[in-house]
Amino acid sequence: MPKNKGKGGKNRRRGKNTNSDEEKRELNVKEDGQEYAQVVRMLGNGRLEGSCFDGKTRLCHIRGKMRKKVWINPGDIILLGLRDFQDDKADVIQKYTSDEARRLKAAGELPDSTQINTVDAIGEGDEDMPFEFDAI
């Protein structure tokens, strides 16, 4: 008899629908000890590099509640909890969707120069390609 190594069967997978509560959630604005940032790059091991809107670049740690549940990509707008004892490190409190980021920008919370969901793509244009493909 084979041993059960999973966490349940078909019915466990069927019942989950996590998108319903994310569509209509309250827009959280920053408080004391918090700052908005844009993700520069992912570093792995639950860490990322974020460019805060106060002009500093901080090493950010994704908290355990968000890890493997909320996926963060470069270019996303996030809310950071600043540390009193380490100014160059912060903790990710929340990730904003693109609609929420647009609402924050319209409310004046984010600077007007903020580009929402844009990442500097490498190799997107073919002008700078150092080689050419030959036709077969």
Side-chain angles (χ1 to χ4, degrees):
M1 206 32 85
K3 297 194 179 204
N4 293 332
K5 295 183 179 180
K7 294 182 180 176
K10 261 194 276 190
N11 293 332
R12 179 185 163 273
R13 278 181 264 138
R14 267 189 207 149
K16 289 195 176 180
N17 187 7
T18 58
N19 295 335
S20 61
D21 62 311
E22 285 189 25
E23 290 176 9
K24 298 288 183 184
R25 67 177 181 191
E26 187 178 330
L27 189 63
N28 294 335
V29 294
K30 72 174 182 176
E31 299 171 358
D32 280 346
Q34 295 178 349
E35 186 63 43
Y36 298 113
Q38 190 162 19
V39 178
V40 176
R41 62 183 176 147
M42 300 300 293
L43 300 174
N45 200 22
R47 296 176 302 142
L48 57 95
E49 185 178 332
S51 175
C52 297
F53 293 125
D54 62 356
K56 296 183 181 178
T57 301
R58 292 185 169 95
L59 179 69
C60 308
H61 180 263
I62 301 172
R63 66 188 189 139
K65 186 176 179 183
M66 294 178 65
R67 228 170 155 169
K68 295 192 178 180
K69 291 180 180 70
V70 179
W71 294 103
I72 299 176
N73 299 312
D76 287 343
I77 305 295
I78 54 176
L79 180 64
L80 299 179
L82 303 178
R83 297 181 180 180
D84 296 334
F85 52 93
Q86 291 175 318
D87 192 40
D88 59 337
K89 293 186 180 180
D91 301 302
V92 178
I93 296 175
Q94 182 180 2
K95 173 194 166 187
Y96 292 107
T97 61
S98 56
D99 293 335
E100 290 172 336
R102 284 190 198 97
R103 291 193 340 224
L104 282 172
K105 191 174 179 181
E109 293 285 331
L110 298 179
D112 292 333
S113 61
T114 305
Q115 295 181 344
I116 298 171
N117 283 349
T118 55
V119 182
D120 295 335
I122 299 171
E124 200 168 279
D126 6 293
E127 306 88 35
D128 300 331
M129 198 174 294
F131 56 90
E132 294 182 17
F133 292 104
D134 294 329
I136 296 175

